Amino acid sequence: MKFVDEAWIEVAAGDGGNGCASFRHEKFKEFGGPDGGDGGRGGHVWAEADPNLNTLVDFRYARRHEAQRGEHGRGSDQYGAKGADVVLRMPVGTIIRDADSGELLGELLAPGQRLLLAKGGDGGLGNLHFKSSTNRAPRQRTLGKPGERRRLHLELKVLADVGLLGMPNAGKSTLIAAVSNARPKIADYPFTTLHPNLGVVRVGPQQSFVIADVPGLIEGAAEGAGLGHQFLRHLQRTRLLLHLVDLAPFDETVDPVAQVRAIVAELKKYDPALAAKPRWLVLNKLDMVPEDERQARVRDVVRRLRFKGPVYAVSALTRQGLEPLMRDVHQWLVAQRQGPEDPVPADPRFDPARLGDEGVADITADGRAQG
């Protein structure tokens, strides 16, 4: 299925039915009086969050959605039936804006949540509403009101607890495939991932979280290089970013530290709030580094970055270090749900004052670094 995270549609609620001007006609009832009924309300247009959907592709091709108009009133005190509503099912995480004014109409953040997009017009009044002691044969009635019509801009931001961030070929797709039920395309060339992938990571009975993998970001993305910034919106709702770094790039002239700094600079250009989110450093492809060089390479990257948050050295291919990483991520998410969100505490193991030529961090068997 094609991944579509943006669409423009038109919605039109139903018009209200007209009221009826009628009089009672019955044998031996010469002056039966008014009996015209009201018109029915026009149908509404609703948006409903459906957890079974993950793309807006349906709205790329079906762009106009119109609800049924209300029935007209009839004689014999018969009111018109209201028009049928239209319910548009959208993925959880959809943002809906008025395309003309830019007004935010709402966001669908929970399964089953509903949002009124266009209100149906009210039905007109029949002449029975206008009778009085001085107006016994009213011929007045009112017409139904038109329903609302709008042009809407739909934007999808996936809902995930954790987002994977990094350069192309850093191993993000391999990692999400190793720890979750997601099955993204994996290949040995850049930009294999062309759209976000979601996976559910289960660390125990009734213990899980959602992880998102977005296409790789390169330097100059703000100017449109690579795939640009078009998919970074999917990381804005995450609570934690895992920044994957390739410890063994194919090109020996590529500096992992420079790549990390370039990614952070692009985040700041796109959204400073996104750049300020808690971010953990995950040094990937440990299996491609000789064992006698691993300690030195890890400590060199951490020392040059002066990174103070949690650092993990893993191999997504062999799954080395992934289990403790996912367990720690889950524990951090649980702690965040239980209390106010606080900044990630600095990891004392990587205090710049301690990282010198001696006494630097070592990699343990589970992939974490220790002093």
Side-chain angles (χ1 to χ4, degrees), residues 30-61:
E30 185 177 359
F31 303 104
D35 66 351
D38 298 347
R41 171 185 61 78
H44 300 318
V45 180
W46 297 87
E48 181 175 331
D50 188 341
N52 298 314
L53 299 177
N54 55 15
T55 175
L56 294 171
V57 67
D58 294 338
F59 302 100
R60 178 63 62 89
Y61 305 106

Side-chain angles (χ1 to χ4, degrees), residues 18 31 52 88 100-101 105 122 133 138 142 166 192 197-198 205 226 257 272 284 294 304 315 336 342 345:
N18 298 329
F31 303 104
N52 298 314
L88 305 179
D100 297 320
S101 66
L105 300 183
D122 294 330
S133 60
T142 59
T192 308
N197 295 294
L198 289 179
V257 174
N284 191 25
R294 293 178 182 177
R304 291 171 58 196
S315 169
Q336 294 299 303
D342 298 323

Side-chain angles (χ1 to χ4, degrees), residues 57-294:
V57 67
D58 294 338
F59 302 100
R60 178 63 62 89
Y61 305 106
R63 301 203 174 188
R64 180 169 177 82
H65 305 270
E66 188 170 352
Q68 186 180 22
R69 73 165 300 156
E71 287 186 355
H72 300 312
R74 295 183 293 273
S76 301
D77 297 335
Q78 295 183 29
Y79 285 41
K82 68 178 181 180
D85 293 347
V86 169
V87 180
L88 305 179
R89 303 192 181 278
M90 302 179 183
V92 178
T94 301
I95 301 175
I96 304 173
R97 290 186 174 89
D98 189 295
D100 297 320
S101 66
E103 176 190 0
L104 176 64
L105 300 183
E107 304 181 37
L108 302 177
L109 301 178
Q113 178 184 351
R114 276 197 172 194
L115 179 66
L116 182 63
L117 303 180
K119 183 179 181 297
D122 294 330
L125 300 177
N127 66 337
L128 64 85
H129 289 278
F130 297 95
K131 66 182 180 181
S132 67
S133 60
T134 58
N135 187 13
R136 298 188 177 185
R139 299 184 182 276
Q140 299 98 323
R141 63 163 186 154
T142 59
L143 302 179
K145 296 182 180 179
E148 293 181 342
R149 286 164 171 76
R150 277 178 168 161
R151 291 179 61 249
L152 302 176
H153 175 214
L154 309 180
E155 183 182 15
L156 175 61
K157 292 183 181 180
V158 298
L159 293 177
D161 300 302
V162 180
L164 299 181
L165 184 70
M167 287 280 185
N169 261 27
K172 301 184 297 298
S173 296
T174 303
L175 188 145
I176 195 174
V179 301
S180 74
N181 56 354
R183 292 296 176 263
K185 181 179 179 180
I186 300 174
D188 59 352
Y189 54 85
F191 298 108
T192 308
T193 301
L194 298 178
H195 58 79
N197 295 294
L198 289 179
V200 178
V201 180
R202 302 189 183 279
V203 296
Q206 299 182 347
Q207 296 179 345
S208 63
F209 60 88
V210 180
I211 189 169
D213 168 30
V214 299
L217 199 66
I218 64 175
E219 188 173 4
E223 288 74 35
L227 294 178
H229 282 158
Q230 59 179 316
F231 294 110
L232 279 183
R233 68 169 70 98
H234 299 291
L235 297 180
Q236 289 179 320
R237 286 200 174 116
T238 60
R239 289 187 289 169
L240 176 64
L241 298 177
L242 297 183
H243 192 155
L244 265 69
V245 182
D246 186 354
L247 273 183
F250 291 116
D251 188 352
E252 296 182 355
T253 62
V254 174
D255 184 5
V257 174
Q259 290 186 331
V260 173
R261 291 171 177 165
I263 292 288
V264 174
E266 294 299 328
L267 288 180
K268 292 179 179 178
K269 290 180 182 179
Y270 179 77
D271 183 5
L274 179 59
K277 281 184 177 291
R279 182 167 54 93
W280 294 5
L281 198 63
V282 180
L283 307 178
N284 191 25
K285 301 187 181 180
L286 196 65
D287 58 300
M288 299 183 65
V289 180
E291 291 189 13
D292 57 344
E293 298 180 12
R294 293 178 182 177

